[in-house]
Amino acid sequence: MKKIVILGGGFAGVWSAAAAVRLRDKQNVPRHELSVTLISPSPDLVIRPRLYEQVPHDVKVPLRKVLGPLGVDIVTAAATGIDVQASTVTLDGGHEPVPYDRLVLAVGSRVVRPAFPGSEAVHDVDSIEAAEALQKHLDSLADTPPSRARFTAVVVGAGFTGLEVATELVGRLRELASAASAADDVRVILVDKAEVVGPELGDGPRPVIEEALDRLAVERRTGVTIDSVDGDRVRLSDGSVLEAGTVVWTAGMRAHPLAAEVAAPLDRLGRLHVDEYLAVPGAPGVYAAGDTAAPEAAPGHPVTQSCQHAIPQGKYAGHNAAASLLGAPPLPFRAAPYVTCLDLGAQGAVFTTGFERTVLHTGETAKDIKVKINTEWIYPPVNDVEALLDQANPQSARAS
Ligand SMILES: Cc1cc2nc3c(=O)[nH]c(=O)nc-3n(C[C@H](O)[C@H](O)[C@H](O)COP(=O)(O)OP(=O)(O)OC[C@H]3O[C@@H](n4cnc5c(N)ncnc54)[C@H](O)[C@@H]3O)c2cc1C
């Protein structure tokens, strides 16, 4: 019996598993000849792109409901090491090492929070636990004594996530402050060491973003970062001090450190270089997908750490891992045309196309698209083998 092991139960891991099963079924190969095992510390697929929102009830989807009906073996554990020579993965929790014939590394990314005095008091929205902790903290503000800091939030990082957090926080803080008869006390301040907001989003959408921030009265402190947090006092690198009861860190994503275990070249985000089939050169039998891999989405443009790229990468990696065991032709990775949709809270959203990020929609039109993405399009079918396998085809119209 041959075995495909997938590490990670995020978007890339889930779609890798589905695509591997799809090819196995298509080739009429029984499960006892080729098994697919998915290993993840969480029993759920976490819908990470929604973690800037007030934590929604459906922010996670049980993996067993998505992949169980396909016969994927789901192991709830964290991988602690990869031995490429021995083709085994070690796990925590007293599990035996797991051998593999093909491995798909899809363990995602995490925000990098630098250590500075008081950094332990800073929030982030990188995991459900962190987003829930932020929510709990915000809910507790009404019970704290009135002060300038109480309904002031500092958001560090004016990139994609920071902008979504800051614009969302305006609405959440206004609601909380109004209930405490302190509506005028709300302040949201975006801090970024770059000189502009959305430095990586480029010039295209910036005027729309700036206008939305102006309308929402989000203040900007660019060209600086945080030096320390001491209670409500947030000291910036230019020596100035802000009084803020809430600080959220969003800057800097890196691939999961397990990517480095493969002993292959990494890019500046810690992602593995892969060939056009998403195989890791120099690591026989190992594929990488999602936020841990850095294939090109278009000439000269590596994929972004995004669902939009993680989902199709998962499909190609799972397909190709299975194809290499079943004697089927591998498929070179093809990304769908690049788009972004940035939520701007009560000011709608901005939808762009291409790596030059040409603005196509703004306001409510873009917001409607964002809501569809967040509540429908990024969710895999549940308890529906046919729909899942249909979408798992890397070359289907809905490949991303
Ligand atoms: C607040 C926020 C907003 C975002 N907004 C957008 C957006 O608007 N559009 C967009 O396209 N993208 C967005 N993203 C990025 C998007 O969420 C990621 O790019 C996407 O989740 C990557 O998918 P992945 O499967 O590679 O990794 P992840 O979704 O991070 O999944 C990684 C999986 O690996 C598992 N894992 C971790 N450690 C181990 C281990 N040791 N062993 C085994 N498994 C492990 C995790 O439990 C998880 O199941 C956003 C992210 C955040 C945090």
Side-chain angles (χ1 to χ4, degrees), residues 36-291:
V36 178
T37 300
L38 184 142
I39 299 170
S40 178
S42 165
D44 303 303
L45 163 68
V46 174
I47 309 296
R48 274 179 87 200
R50 299 193 66 183
L51 293 177
Y52 70 95
E53 297 178 37
Q54 188 153 354
V55 186
H57 72 279
D58 55 350
V59 74
K60 52 189 180 180
V61 183
L63 291 169
R64 68 182 159 74
K65 288 196 179 174
V66 182
L67 298 174
L70 293 190
V72 172
D73 299 313
I74 297 166
V75 178
T76 304
T80 52
I82 301 167
D83 186 336
V84 176
Q85 303 307 322
S87 298
T88 54
V89 175
T90 49
L91 306 183
D92 67 356
H95 291 267
E96 289 293 310
V98 178
Y100 63 80
D101 295 287
R102 296 292 180 268
L103 180 73
V104 180
L105 187 67
V107 283
S109 59
R110 20 177 95 168
V111 72
V112 182
R113 288 174 39 163
F116 50 77
S119 59
E120 62 287 348
V122 171
H123 291 271
D124 66 60
V125 292
D126 204 42
S127 62
I128 290 192
E129 295 73 25
E132 284 174 345
L134 172 62
Q135 182 61 41
K136 202 167 155 205
H137 164 78
L138 294 174
D139 288 341
S140 74
L141 292 175
D143 300 325
T144 59
S147 73
R148 271 168 64 90
R150 181 160 65 148
F151 293 112
T152 297
V154 170
V155 178
V156 190
F160 203 98
T161 301
L163 286 164
E164 291 193 330
V165 169
T167 52
E168 167 85 9
L169 270 180
V170 172
R172 280 158 78 178
L173 284 171
R174 280 187 187 157
E175 221 172 90
L176 293 163
S178 297
S181 307
D184 294 341
D185 292 354
V186 172
R187 262 182 97 190
V188 175
I189 305 153
L190 256 179
V191 170
D192 199 299
K193 63 181 189 305
E195 294 297 337
V196 289
V197 295
E200 310 228 324
L201 288 168
D203 295 340
R206 192 165 299 121
V208 181
I209 295 169
E210 294 275 13
E211 190 184 337
L213 295 177
D214 286 343
R215 286 175 185 258
L216 293 169
V218 173
E219 299 168 40
R220 281 83 98 190
R221 297 294 303 271
T222 53
V224 289
T225 186
I226 287 193
D227 268 359
S228 64
V229 177
D230 182 7
D232 286 347
R233 290 170 62 80
V234 180
R235 182 175 294 277
L236 301 184
S237 53
D238 63 359
S240 59
V241 173
L242 299 169
E243 287 178 50
T246 305
V247 183
V248 187
W249 188 277
T250 70
M253 299 287 286
R254 268 189 81 78
H256 191 293
L258 264 185
E261 290 269 314
V262 179
L266 304 174
D267 77 351
R268 69 182 177 88
L269 300 176
R271 303 182 296 183
L272 284 157
H273 288 289
V274 288
D275 67 16
E276 62 177 333
Y277 303 110
L278 305 187
V280 181
V286 179
Y287 294 75
D291 284 2

Side-chain angles (χ1 to χ4, degrees), residues 8-12 40-41 48-49 79 108 160 256 290-291 305-308 370:
F11 295 93
S40 178
R48 274 179 87 200
F160 203 98
H256 191 293
D291 284 2
Q305 287 181 309
S306 63
C307 269
Q308 179 192 165
K370 185 70 180 181

Side-chain angles (χ1 to χ4, degrees), residues 7-31:
L7 298 185
F11 295 93
V14 162
W15 285 107
S16 284
V21 171
R22 175 186 167 275
L23 187 64
R24 181 186 70 191
D25 287 3
K26 219 172 139 230
Q27 305 263 317
N28 293 319
V29 173
R31 186 177 162 187

